[in-house]
């Protein structure tokens, strides 16, 4: 019994981290990346974008920063309508099934090194669950997201959502293979599945894509690391492209492709149920960016091995958290930039890219990494 | 009991709770815009009257992709433990680890080439 209570008090720390990360960071980031997307696209297309909504009942507009709040409120107040022809249980289940896996994956994401609070002896590790199988957990949970979309398409019992759901499932499973293969070179180099350890190693030896540390002002870089940049860069491109496909973003947004399928799998959805799909999609995008940053761009660490992991100073702990979110935001802006610059692929091109190009290149890439590691043994 | 996974359970409860609460809020606060009618309940197809089946036949290729996915995703899963322990092989200079994986991937690659030649992955016709 006593043991049970001690375990319960052990849950306080992760609960604070979860609530802090999910409700104070990820959900506001979702809301504001929608805003950023609308403003950014407006700039790219020479429009104004949402710039009116500010503080209610005053004339303060704050460049439209109140827009996400107004949108959220509108979603809540809209009629909650379930059409007669749908399969009710699954129709209700689908939005939740898209949202929950997207939020679950952020549990293993290290959003900082350590945080040493004053008057507390042990520094806090800034990750919700420090699992030894981190990357496997991510793939296991992220692939559950397919169910939400397939279920939405099937439960809607209507032509276009059904086609959207089928397309989406086959697109997402196809790109899961190249996503899985593109991570393997990283695993071979760092020899670990635990994301915190991978970032710690990148902190000490330089990022995966920037393997340089500074000794005073003299850059230190090894021949092996320079050669490894070739497979790592290929991996990075495959990973990011597959991420676009997995999150159903343009240029791979065939599941919801407006010009052919009305709105794809969520055609029959409205009000908060539609908003949950939207939230799930953007949360997946933000957390996906988080993983790309963690695996390839050094996670929370500064370049060139600057700073510490925050185990002994609050300052560096906070700098690391700031560094991580700066990188993630930069990555999200890249997502938005690509979305508004590149036209949509055709379905046969999409499948060809995933199954023929990426699959083969990723396999060769793994062998290339293995050969480089074997030929340039250290010590 | 493995306590590493307890935070995951908490995260699951919080995320699931969030989804359930937002869905419920909308039921409670959402305003009804207009009475239910036959037209309002119809499936949405750009304002046209829905014709044909609601779940049309679709290409068998989707099934093929699903089956091939199972095979090659398992290949990927088998590569993971090998990749994680690869540094140990490098340290000991075990080239066998390299060749044996080359063999394993090679056999599956032949299967892949067969699927490719059979046109299982060709969508453009």
């Amino acid at each position: 019994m006593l043991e049970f209570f001690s375990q319960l008090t052990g849950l306080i720390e992760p609960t604070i981290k979860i609530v802090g990360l999910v409700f104070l960071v990820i959900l506001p980031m979702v809301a504001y990346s929608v805003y950023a997307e609308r403003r950014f696209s407006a700039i790219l297309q020479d429009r104004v974008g949402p710039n009116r909504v500010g503080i209610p009942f005053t004339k303060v507009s704050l460049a439209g920063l109140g827009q996400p709040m107004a949108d959220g409120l509108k979603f809540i107040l809209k009629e909650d309508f379930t059409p007669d022809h749908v399969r009710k249980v699954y129709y209700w289940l689908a939005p939740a099934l898209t949202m929950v896996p997207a939020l679950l994956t952020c549990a293993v994401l290290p959003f900082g090194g350590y945080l040493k609070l004053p008057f507390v002896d042990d520094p806090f590790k800034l990750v919700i669950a420090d699992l030894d199988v981190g990357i496997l957990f991510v793939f296991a949970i992220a692939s559950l997201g397919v169910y939400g979309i397939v279920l939405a398409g099937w439960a809607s019992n209507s032509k276009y959502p059904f086609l959207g759901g089928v397309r989406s499932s086959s697109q997402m499973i196809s790109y899961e293979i190249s996503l899985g293969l593109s991570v393997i070179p990283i695993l071979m180099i760092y020899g670990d599945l635990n994301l915190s350890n991978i970032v710690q190693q990148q902190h000490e030896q330089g990022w995966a894509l920037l393997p340089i540390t500074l000794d005073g002002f003299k850059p230190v870089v090894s021949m092996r690391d320079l050669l490894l940049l070739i497979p790592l860069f290929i991996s990075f491109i495959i990973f990011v492209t597959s991420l676009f496909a997995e999150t159903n973003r343009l240029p791979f947004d065939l599941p919801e492709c407006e010009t052919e399928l009305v709105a794809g799998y969520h055609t029959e959805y409205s009000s908060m149920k539609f908003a949950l799909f939207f939230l799930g999609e953007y949360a997946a995008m933000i957390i996906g960016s988080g993983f790309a940053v963690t695996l390839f761009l050094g996670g929370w660490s500064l370049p060139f091995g600057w700073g510490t992991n925050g185990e002994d100073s609050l300052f560096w702990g906070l700098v690391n958290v700031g560094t991580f979110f700066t990188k993630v935001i930069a990555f999200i802006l890249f997502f938005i930039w690509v979305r508004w610059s590149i036209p949509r692929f055709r379905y046969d091109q999409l499948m060809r890219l995933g199954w023929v190009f990426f699959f083969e290149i990723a396999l060769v890439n793994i062998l290339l990494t293995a050969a480089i590691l074997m030929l340039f043994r250290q010590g | 009991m493995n306590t590493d996974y307890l935070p995951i359970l908490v995260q699951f409860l919080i995320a699931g709770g969030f989804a359930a609460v937002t869905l419920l809020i909308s039921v409670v606060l959402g305003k009804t815009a207009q009475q239910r009618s036959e037209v309002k309940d119809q499936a949405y197809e750009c304002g046209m009257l829905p014709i044909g089946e609601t779940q049309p036949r679709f290409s068998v290729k989707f099934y093929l992709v699903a089956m091939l996915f199972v095979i090659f995703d398992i290949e990927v899963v088998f590569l993971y433990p090998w990749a994680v322990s690869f540094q140990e092989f490098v340290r000991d200079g075990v080239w066998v680890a390299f060749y044996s994986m080359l063999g394993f991937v090679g056999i599956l690659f032949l299967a892949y080439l067969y699927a490719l030649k059979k046109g299982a992955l060709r969508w453009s016709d």
Side-chain angles (χ1 to χ4, degrees):
Chain A
M1 196 66 194
L2 204 67
E3 198 190 351
F4 179 70
F5 275 113
S6 73
Q7 269 181 3
L8 270 191
T9 52
L11 281 182
I12 295 172
E13 188 199 323
T15 310
I16 292 172
K17 283 188 215 160
I18 293 166
V19 172
L21 187 69
V22 172
F23 293 104
L24 298 181
V25 180
I26 291 183
L27 289 180
M29 256 168 105
V30 167
Y32 278 93
S33 53
V34 176
Y35 170 76
E37 173 130 44
R38 294 177 64 184
R39 291 290 292 202
F40 203 155
S41 63
I43 294 169
L44 287 178
Q45 298 178 338
D46 204 11
R47 293 183 284 120
V48 185
N51 66 342
R52 296 293 175 88
V53 187
I55 301 163
F57 308 118
T58 61
K59 295 224 155 134
V60 187
S61 72
L62 299 172
L65 280 173
Q67 186 73 44
M69 312 286 167
D71 284 343
L73 205 63
K74 190 186 79 177
F75 274 127
I76 290 173
L77 295 176
K78 283 281 173 186
E79 179 184 5
D80 186 74
F81 179 62
T82 311
D84 217 17
H85 57 88
V86 301
R87 299 180 166 93
K88 301 266 172 345
V89 178
Y90 301 106
Y91 180 81
W92 277 82
L93 198 61
L97 260 180
T98 326
M99 176 75 192
V100 173
L103 283 183
L104 254 186
T105 42
C106 77
V108 291
L109 195 64
F111 54 95
Y114 288 89
L115 201 63
K116 172 88 180 78
L117 290 180
F119 314 116
V120 186
D121 286 337
D122 293 328
F124 292 106
K125 203 164 191 187
L126 291 180
V127 53
I128 292 168
D130 194 21
L131 297 188
D132 286 333
V133 291
I135 295 173
L136 283 179
F137 175 82
V138 175
F139 283 120
I141 301 296
S143 51
L144 290 180
V146 183
Y147 286 108
I149 289 172
V150 174
L151 221 51
W154 176 74
S156 292
N157 206 5
S158 168
K159 220 177 292 164
Y160 294 126
F162 180 71
L163 289 173
V166 171
R167 273 187 185 189
S168 173
S169 59
S170 111
Q171 168 184 336
M172 282 167 93
I173 62 177
S174 300
Y175 277 84
E176 214 170 283
I177 293 179
S178 34
L179 199 70
L181 284 174
S182 67
V183 173
I184 287 177
I186 289 279
L187 303 181
M188 288 162 74
I189 292 164
Y190 296 111
D192 212 325
L193 282 168
N194 184 320
L195 288 160
S196 310
N197 294 352
I198 289 178
V199 179
Q200 179 66 31
Q201 285 195 47
Q202 295 193 41
H203 170 61
E204 285 156 14
Q205 302 158 10
W207 303 352
L209 287 179
L210 189 70
I212 304 169
T213 48
L214 285 185
D215 179 22
F217 283 103
K218 202 166 71 69
V220 183
V221 62
S222 71
M223 187 63 196
R224 167 182 164 256
D225 287 346
L226 273 185
L227 273 175
L228 279 175
L229 272 182
I230 302 166
L232 280 176
F233 195 69
I234 297 171
S235 268
F236 182 65
I237 290 173
I238 296 177
F239 186 85
V240 172
T241 317
S242 306
L243 206 61
F244 278 97
E246 284 287 303
T247 49
N248 296 324
R249 295 271 306 180
L250 240 135
F252 304 111
D253 74 334
L254 287 128
E256 42 190 292
C257 189
E258 309 89 342
T259 43
E260 295 164 26
L261 298 179
V262 186
Y265 59 89
H266 53 52
T267 305
E268 296 290 334
Y269 281 88
S270 59
S271 79
M272 212 58 208
K273 291 200 275 303
F274 169 75
L276 276 186
F277 279 117
F278 217 70
L279 275 175
E281 189 187 321
Y282 273 83
M285 177 179 116
I286 289 170
I287 294 163
S289 317
F291 282 109
V293 164
T294 301
L295 292 172
F296 292 95
L297 299 172
W300 44 259
S301 65
L302 286 169
F304 313 120
W306 283 334
T308 68
N309 62 7
E311 217 162 356
D312 40 17
S313 87
L314 179 62
F315 172 72
W316 283 114
L318 292 175
V319 166
N320 288 337
V321 176
T323 313
F324 180 72
F325 285 110
T326 312
K327 286 181 195 172
V328 171
I329 288 167
F331 217 91
I332 291 168
L333 289 179
F334 171 69
F335 256 85
I336 295 171
W337 184 20
V338 168
R339 170 169 178 181
W340 294 94
S341 312
I342 298 179
R344 182 182 295 131
F345 276 63
R346 254 189 358 241
Y347 204 76
D348 61 306
Q349 293 169 332
L350 168 97
M351 288 316 236
R352 210 170 127 78
L353 184 73
W355 278 100
V356 180
F357 292 107
F358 281 176
F359 183 75
E360 289 171 13
I361 293 172
L363 274 185
V364 173
N365 200 28
I366 290 168
L367 296 177
L368 183 66
T369 318
I372 293 174
L373 283 175
M374 274 293 187
L375 290 172
F376 290 85
R377 287 161 58 190
Q378 285 172 327
Chain B
M1 192 169 154
N2 196 337
T3 52
D4 279 358
Y5 289 85
L6 273 179
I8 305 272
L9 188 67
V10 177
Q11 173 97 340
F12 178 71
L13 292 177
I14 289 178
F18 173 75
V21 166
T22 44
L23 285 176
L24 274 179
I25 280 181
S26 154
V27 174
V28 176
L29 294 178
K31 306 267 190 301
T32 308
Q34 109 197 119
Q35 287 302 308
R36 258 177 195 280
S37 64
E38 205 184 319
V39 177
K40 191 177 177 181
D41 270 324
Q42 243 166 27
Y44 183 75
E45 286 185 15
C46 314
M48 304 289 280
L49 288 177
I51 43 165
E53 292 172 74
T54 52
Q55 288 183 359
R57 294 160 68 111
F58 59 93
S59 172
V60 72
K61 292 243 165 72
F62 289 107
Y63 287 107
L64 283 180
V65 166
M67 281 187 258
L68 289 174
F69 163 74
V70 173
I71 298 166
F72 291 108
D73 206 41
I74 287 176
E75 177 189 1
V76 174
V77 170
F78 274 122
L79 278 170
Y80 270 58
W82 172 80
V84 170
S85 43
F86 193 72
Q87 284 292 346
E88 285 169 42
F89 304 142
V90 170
R91 212 170 26 249
D92 306 336
V94 192
W95 275 92
V96 162
F98 180 71
Y99 295 131
S100 55
M101 195 38 86
L102 206 62
F104 174 68
V105 172
I107 292 167
L108 274 159
F109 197 72
L110 281 181
Y112 167 79
L113 286 180
Y114 178 71
L116 208 60
K117 267 269 174 284
K118 276 278 174 188
L121 300 168
R122 200 170 59 232
W123 288 74
S124 43
D125 48 349

